[in-house]
C-alpha cells in the first residue's frame, strides 16, 4: 500500500503544473451528447464516496450543486446513489449507466479508477470527476476524453487557516488528523502546517503541529471517512498532546472530533473542511474557528448547467484563492477572540498568495 500511495502522490505532483495550465487557459473542448436534444430530457446523476450525501461536507456540497443545476435547467430529477464502501463504486456506476444518465458525477479521489473504467466503456456519456484528474497513467492528461475534472488547491486556503490557528493558540500546540493518507486529504494537512511555519517565522514563535509530519508525509489517520469511535479516539490522542486548535480532514470525522473536544472540558477550537461547517452543522458551531472551503457546489453546478445545454466542457477546473474556488469561512462565534491585527495579517497573506509572492507547496502547485 505504501508503494501505491507513493506512486499516486508522485504522479499527481508531476501533473500539477499541466493541470493548472489547462484550468487557466486553453479553449474548452466539447463533446456531443444526447443532452443537446434539450434540457427537459437531460438526466444528470451522481455517485457519492463512502461518507454519504448527509456528511455536511464534500458529498453534500456535490449533491447541492447537482440539485441546483437540475432546477435551473428544468431537467429530469437527478439520480443520486450513495456508496457504503469502495466495493460499491463500480456497481453504482453501472446502475447509473443502465438508468440512462447523460452525465455522471463521481464525488471523491477514491472513485477515479472506477470512473475511468466506466467512462472508457461508455464514450458517449459525460463524466465529471470531483477531487481527481483521473490520470491513472500519470502522463499529465485526463485518461478519457469524456471526463471533466473539478479539483481544488486547498493547500492555499489551509495555509491561511494554519496561520490563523497558530495565532489564536494559547498552548502553542495545534493538531490535525485525516481519514486516509491520500492527496486530497493530506493537501489540507500540509497546507495547514505550512501556515503554522509561516506564523512562527513571522513572529519568532515555536507553535508545534501534531498529527502531520511534512518531512515524512505521514501522520494520524482513521482509515476511513466515518464518524465512529476510531475517529473519536484518534482525535482524543491528538487532544491529549495539549492541542487547542484541531483540524479533522475527512467528511463526517469532524463529528467525532467534536465529541472528543466536548468530552475534554477544555476550550479547543475546531477547523472545518470543504463546507462552512458552522452553517451546515450548527450543532458544532460554537467550536468552529473557521472552515477551509472548497467550491464543490459551484463547480458541480456550472459543469452540469453547461452539459445540460449541450456545452459540456472537459477543461479541468482548478479551484484557487485567486478564482475563489477555495477560501476560509468567517470566524462566526470566534470573531471576538481573533485579534484584529491577526485578521489583517491573514488577509495580507491571502493577497500575497494570489499575487504569487508566497508559494504554497502542493501537488497541484505549478
Amino acid at each position: 500500500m505504501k508503494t501505491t500511495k507513493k506512486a499516486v502522490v508522485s504522479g499527481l505532483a508531476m501533473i500539477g503544473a499541466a493541470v493548472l495550465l489547462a484550468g487557466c487557459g486553453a479553449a474548452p473542448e466539447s463533446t456531443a451528447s444526447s443532452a443537446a436534444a434539450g434540457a427537459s430530457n437531460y438526466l444528470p446523476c451522481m455517485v457519492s464516496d463512502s461518507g454519504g450525501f448527509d456528511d455536511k461536507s464534500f458529498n453534500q456540497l456535490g449533491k447541492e450543486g447537482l440539485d441546483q443545476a437540475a432546477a435551473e435547467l428544468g431537467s429530469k430529477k437527478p439520480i443520486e446513489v450513495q456508496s457504503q464502501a469502495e466495493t460499491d463504486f463500480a456497481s453504482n456506476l453501472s446502475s447509473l449507466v443502465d438508468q440512462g444518465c447523460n452525465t455522471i458525477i463521481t464525488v471523491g479521489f477514491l472513485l477515479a479508477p472506477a470512473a475511468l473504467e466506466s467512462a472508457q466503456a461508455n464514450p458517449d456519456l459525460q463524466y465529471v470527476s470531483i477531487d481527481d484528474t483521473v490520470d491513472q497513467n500519470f502522463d499529465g492528461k485526463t485518461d478519457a476524453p469524456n471526463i471533466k475534472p473539478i479539483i481544488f488547491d486547498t493547500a492555499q486556503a489551509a495555509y491561511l487557516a494554519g496561520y490563523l490557528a497558530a495565532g489564536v493558540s494559547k498552548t502553542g500546540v495545534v493538531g490535525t488528523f485525516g481519514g486516509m493518507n491520500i492527496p486530497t486529504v493530506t493537501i489540507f494537512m500540509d497546507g495547514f502546517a505550512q501556515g503554522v511555519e509561516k506564523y512562527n517565522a513571522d513572529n519568532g514563535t515555536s507553535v508545534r503541529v501534531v498529527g502531520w509530519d511534512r518531512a515524512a508525509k505521514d501522520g494520524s489517520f482513521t482509515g476511513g471517512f466515518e464518524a465512529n469511535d476510531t475517529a473519536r479516539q484518534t482525535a482524543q490522542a491528538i487532544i491529549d498532546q495539549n492541542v487547542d486548535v484541531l483540524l479533522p480532514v475527512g467528511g463526517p470525522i469532524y463529528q467525532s472530533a467534536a465529541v472528543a473536544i466536548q468530552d475534554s472540558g477544555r476550550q479547543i477550537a475546531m477547523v472545518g473542511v470543504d463546507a462552512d461547517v458552522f452553517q451546515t452543522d450548527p450543532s458544532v458551531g460554537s467550536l468552529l474557528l473557521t472552515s477551509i472551503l472548497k467550491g464543490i457546489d459551484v463547480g458541480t453546478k456550472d459543469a452540469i448547467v453547461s452539459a445540460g445545454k449541450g456545452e459540456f466542457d472537459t477543461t479541468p477546473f482548478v479551484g484557487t484563492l485567486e478564482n475563489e474556488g477555495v477560501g476560509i469561512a468567517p470566524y462566526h462565534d470566534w470573531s471576538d477572540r481573533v485579534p484584529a491585527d491577526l485578521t489583517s495579517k491573514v488577509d495580507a497573506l491571502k493577497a500575497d498568495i494570489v499575487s504569487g509572492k508566497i508559494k504554497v507547496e502542493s501537488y497541484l502547485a505549478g
Side-chain angles (χ1 to χ4, degrees), residues 214-232:
R214 291 201 65 217
K217 300 187 185 303
D218 201 4
S220 297
F221 298 94
T222 67
F225 299 104
E226 294 80 31
N228 54 25
D229 197 56
T230 299
R232 184 195 62 77

Side-chain angles (χ1 to χ4, degrees), residues 242-253:
N242 205 28
V243 159
D244 62 356
V245 183
L246 180 61
L247 167 66
V249 186
I253 67 173

